[in-house]
């Protein structure tokens, strides 16, 4: 869905500037998340695509379901509808949150572990990762038994794989390349 991401980028950047200027980044993030959830509802997308339904009716419906923060948010709903970009709203919300995270110096850390991590081990790992990446991290832990042991961590586009599976794959490559 690279096309949706490309279309969403200018919208996300514009909304981010508005939210940043108003000092309401978190409120805008929550509102965009709710708007994205509503905009991804198949019946609403079908209704919006129906040429017999007026934009004002869809706008009124959306504003009723997801009350806008202010006049600018309401205008954003109208702009998205006029441009026929309702299906792009989830991508806009995702990119907005990425911009917000960069602005706040926070990143998501996707941690895959072969076994459940207790709180102490997770805290220690997150602390080491914070030093490594130089930013606050929000951990998202997933149990992945196929790793056999160890962890695989993804932060942005960087992957740190210390799993037993990765070590075995590296060993296999080394042995078969000789």
């Amino acid at each position: 869905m690279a096309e949706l991401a490309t279309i969403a980028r200018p919208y996300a950047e514009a909304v981010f500037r508005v939210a940043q200027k108003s000092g309401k980044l978190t409120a805008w993030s929550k509102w965009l998340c709710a708007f994205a959830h509503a905009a991804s509802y198949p019946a609403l997308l079908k209704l919006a695509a129906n040429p017999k339904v007026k934009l004002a009716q869809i706008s009124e419906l959306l504003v009723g379901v997801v009350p806008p923060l202010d006049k600018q948010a309401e205008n954003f709903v109208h702009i998205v509808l006029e441009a026929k970009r309702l299906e792009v709203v989830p991508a806009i919300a995702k990119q907005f949150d990425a911009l917000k995270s960069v602005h706040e110096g926070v990143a998501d850390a996707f941690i895959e572990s072969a076994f459940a991590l207790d709180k102490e081990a997770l805290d220690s790992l997150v602390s080491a990762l914070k030093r490594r990446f130089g930013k606050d991290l929000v951990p998202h832990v997933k149990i992945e038994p196929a790793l056999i042991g160890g962890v695989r961590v993804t932060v942005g586009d960087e992957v740190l794989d210390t799993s037993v599976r990765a070590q075995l794959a590296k060993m296999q490559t080394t042995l078969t390349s000789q």
Side-chain angles (χ1 to χ4, degrees):
M1 288 292 176
E3 186 178 317
L4 284 182
T6 302
I7 294 168
R9 186 172 298 112
Y11 289 95
E13 289 171 351
V15 171
F16 180 77
R17 284 191 300 272
V18 167
Q20 190 177 23
K21 188 176 178 181
S22 72
K24 298 178 182 177
L25 283 172
T26 301
W28 270 91
S29 177
K30 289 177 183 177
W31 179 79
L32 272 173
C33 180
F35 183 28
H37 184 71
S40 63
Y41 192 63
L44 181 63
L45 291 169
K46 186 176 179 181
L47 185 67
N50 186 337
K52 294 179 182 179
V53 179
K54 295 181 179 165
L55 290 180
Q57 293 172 305
I58 300 166
S59 179
E60 189 177 317
L61 175 67
L62 277 169
V63 168
V65 172
V66 185
L69 298 169
D70 52 28
K71 187 66 176 167
Q72 291 173 313
E74 191 172 339
N75 289 341
F76 179 69
V77 172
H78 296 301
I79 289 168
V80 167
L81 291 173
E82 287 175 3
K84 298 189 184 316
R85 299 291 191 209
L86 192 58
E87 73 282 353
V88 181
V89 174
I92 294 169
K94 185 176 180 182
Q95 287 191 24
F96 177 91
D97 281 340
L99 290 168
K100 180 179 174 282
S101 293
V102 168
H103 175 74
E104 294 172 342
V106 177
D108 288 320
F110 297 96
I111 302 168
E112 295 174 274
S113 175
F115 305 99
L117 297 171
D118 62 20
K119 182 170 174 23
E120 185 178 311
L122 180 61
D123 289 346
S124 176
L125 176 61
V126 170
S127 179
L129 291 170
K130 283 181 181 180
R131 284 191 304 276
R132 165 79 166 77
F133 290 100
K135 58 179 86 173
D136 285 334
L137 298 173
V138 177
H140 304 277
V141 182
K142 176 182 173 189
I143 306 302
E144 188 61 56
L147 295 178
I148 304 170
V151 295
R152 178 174 38 220
V153 179
T154 306
V155 177
D157 60 356
E158 195 167 342
V159 178
L160 302 172
D161 195 344
T162 62
S163 67
V164 172
R165 183 182 183 125
Q167 292 172 12
L168 290 172
K170 183 177 178 184
M171 196 181 309
Q172 179 183 12
T173 303
T174 303
L175 291 172
T176 57
S177 65
Q178 293 179 5

